[in-house]
Amino acid sequence: IPSFTGLQSYAWAKSGEHILLIGGRTDGLHKKQPFAAFNKNDNNKWLIVLDPEKEKVWKRSLDGLQPGINQQLQSTNMEFYQDGNELILAGGYGYSELAKDHITHPYLIRIQVKELIRAIIDENDPAAFISQIKDERMAVTGGRMQKLGDLYYLAGGHRFDGRYNPHGPDHGPGFSQQYTNQVRIFRLSAPGLPLM
């Protein structure tokens, strides 16, 4: 699609011929230098809809959404799963204006896919189709989410807080990192918003 420049480590969902892209980075693989890694200026700050067959792209800025939702939806490597018309998102790593640091976001988001896509295309406010709750157990990046029956499985991944530094937490900018080493199993309330 000529007008689409690409993303890395985003979440996605599909409704009909439209593909919804959320989060990820516009600069490709993150830089290795701590001062340049995961620069907030290279966050994807848009909700994006693609129609690959017609080569069309629609974008809606995340500005105007609640700060916690805005910042999580800019993160990279969120866990995600599309269940019918719902897209479930957990965690993701990136800079948080609220925390004034890079964090793994401790939230779960539920999105109504078809309605959000229509709002983006029609240039309407998307807020009514996005709901978020705080849960520290959802602070995971780089894992995988699946569903079996009515249970969601959040497998693997880690919580990474602080500035990325390939030299380790004791050489330069400090960070904390803890792999989950587990599968976290949870249920959600009945489909629909708000997420409770």
Side-chain angles (χ1 to χ4, degrees):
I1 302 175
S3 60
F4 178 59
T5 56
L7 288 175
Q8 194 234 8
S9 298
Y10 54 89
W12 67 276
K14 193 164 190 268
S15 178
E17 68 277 12
H18 295 120
I19 300 171
L20 172 67
L21 305 179
I22 298 175
R25 302 201 51 78
T26 61
D27 60 343
L29 181 64
H30 62 81
K31 310 284 188 298
K32 300 293 184 184
Q33 305 91 347
F35 65 87
F38 296 98
N39 188 315
K40 67 181 179 179
N41 295 329
D42 297 312
N43 292 352
N44 171 29
K45 299 175 183 72
W46 301 89
L47 298 167
I48 301 170
V49 174
L50 305 179
D51 184 332
E53 200 162 302
K54 295 178 182 170
E55 296 191 342
K56 286 189 158 189
V57 180
W58 296 268
K59 293 170 129 185
R60 171 73 188 214
S61 171
L62 293 169
D63 290 345
L65 294 175
Q66 293 176 7
I69 291 175
N70 177 314
Q71 291 170 36
Q72 184 180 7
L73 294 183
Q74 292 183 46
S75 70
T76 187
N77 262 336
M78 286 179 277
E79 283 58 57
F80 65 98
Y81 182 82
Q82 183 174 0
D83 184 12
N85 189 46
E86 294 195 326
L87 177 63
I88 308 302
L89 302 165
Y93 174 77
Y95 185 77
S96 166
E97 292 288 350
L98 293 172
K100 301 295 183 206
D101 200 356
H102 288 74
I103 65 167
T104 299
H105 294 273
Y107 301 103
L108 188 74
I109 285 180
R110 176 183 264 169
I111 290 173
Q112 303 299 293
V113 176
K114 180 180 175 185
E115 292 81 359
L116 181 60
I117 287 173
R118 182 47 49 198
I120 295 165
I121 291 172
D122 293 344
E123 300 182 2
N124 292 327
D125 185 357
F129 311 111
I130 305 169
S131 182
Q132 182 189 57
I133 59 170
K134 185 171 185 178
D135 189 325
E136 295 290 336
R137 296 168 296 182
M138 299 296 114
V140 178
T141 188
R144 183 74 185 246
M145 188 186 301
Q146 291 292 322
K147 187 179 184 191
L148 184 60
D150 64 345
L151 295 175
Y152 286 89
Y153 293 79
L154 185 56
H158 60 125
R159 182 172 188 160
F160 193 101
D161 294 315
R163 196 68 183 254
Y164 172 80
N165 179 1
H167 305 294
D170 300 325
H171 298 88
F175 60 83
S176 65
Q177 180 181 32
Q178 183 174 8
Y179 284 89
T180 67
N181 295 316
Q182 61 186 217
V183 176
R184 296 176 179 176
I185 303 170
F186 61 96
R187 276 190 184 88
L188 294 179
S189 59
L193 299 180
L195 178 57
M196 308 206 29

